[in-house]
């Protein structure tokens, strides 16, 4: 068993065309719908920041902040952010970010969506383990969310 503390890797086969999954990822408003972030009127642009209020119960006090890194149509979307940055009393801006990469591959049953978040070994030691644990479970939940989202929209 290969266990790492630096990266989380998850994948799911979605019963949807790659173009549909790409739209759910790359269209900021759609992304916000299944992730739980208010991104109405926002657009994802490579090299630009993206920001919105989290709508997930219990986290409404948190602003989702990311910088979109790469957008390769129907193939790859990546962004950087501060993992588990949920304490409004803490300034996370000087901490290293993690990199989230979504990769799409057409498969016989639809689209294989793979998400990898890496860079946890650079998160300050006092927060590293909790950030990793919360994101490990969080990505499981988000893959279920996008699965439901592309199946019903």
């Amino acid at each position: 068993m290969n266990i790492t503390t630096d990266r989380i890797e998850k994948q799911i086969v979605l019963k949807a065309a790659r173009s549909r999954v790409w739209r759910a990822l790359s269209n900021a408003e759609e992304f916000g719908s299944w992730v739980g972030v208010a991104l109405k009127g926002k657009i994802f642009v490579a090299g630009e920041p993206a920001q919105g209020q989290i709508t997930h119960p219990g986290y409404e006090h948190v602003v989702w902040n990311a910088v979109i890194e790469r957008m390769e149509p129907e193939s790859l979307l990546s962004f950087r952010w501060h993992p588990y940055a949920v304490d409004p009393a803490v300034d996370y801006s000087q901490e290293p970010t993690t990199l989230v990469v979504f990769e799409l591959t057409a498969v016989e049953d639809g689209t294989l969506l793979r998400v990898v978040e890496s860079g946890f070994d650079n998160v300050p030691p006092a927060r590293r383990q909790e950030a990793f644990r919360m994101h490990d479970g969080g990505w499981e939940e988000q893959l279920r969310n996008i699965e439901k989202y592309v199946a019903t929209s």
Side-chain angles (χ1 to χ4, degrees), residues 105-120:
T105 306
V107 294
E108 187 175 323
D109 295 333
T111 302
L112 173 65
L113 173 60
R114 183 170 178 251
V115 62
V116 176
E117 184 173 6
S118 60
F120 285 95

Side-chain angles (χ1 to χ4, degrees), residues 34-142:
W34 61 269
V35 167
V37 178
L39 294 171
K40 187 164 179 61
K42 306 286 177 114
I43 298 171
F44 288 160
V45 177
E48 298 289 326
Q51 186 178 75
Q53 199 70 38
I54 292 182
T55 60
H56 187 80
Y59 294 92
E60 298 93 338
H61 65 283
V62 179
V63 174
W64 180 83
N65 284 299
V67 175
I68 306 301
E69 268 216 349
R70 291 171 51 199
M71 295 180 75
E72 298 173 14
E74 297 191 21
S75 178
L76 184 143
L77 174 85
S78 66
F79 62 81
R80 291 195 162 276
W81 66 349
H82 296 283
Y84 201 57
V86 298
D87 184 343
V90 174
D91 177 8
Y92 299 97
S93 66
Q94 299 307 306
E95 290 186 6
T97 57
T98 55
L99 175 65
V100 176
V101 179
F102 294 97
E103 293 178 299
L104 287 73
T105 306
V107 294
E108 187 175 323
D109 295 333
T111 302
L112 173 65
L113 173 60
R114 183 170 178 251
V115 62
V116 176
E117 184 173 6
S118 60
F120 285 95
D121 286 351
N122 297 320
V123 173
R127 311 191 322 99
R128 185 179 304 147
Q129 188 174 10
E130 181 73 353
F132 186 93
R133 184 181 71 77
M134 293 302 289
H135 282 225
D136 188 50
W139 287 121
E140 293 278 344
E141 183 178 342
Q142 294 298 2

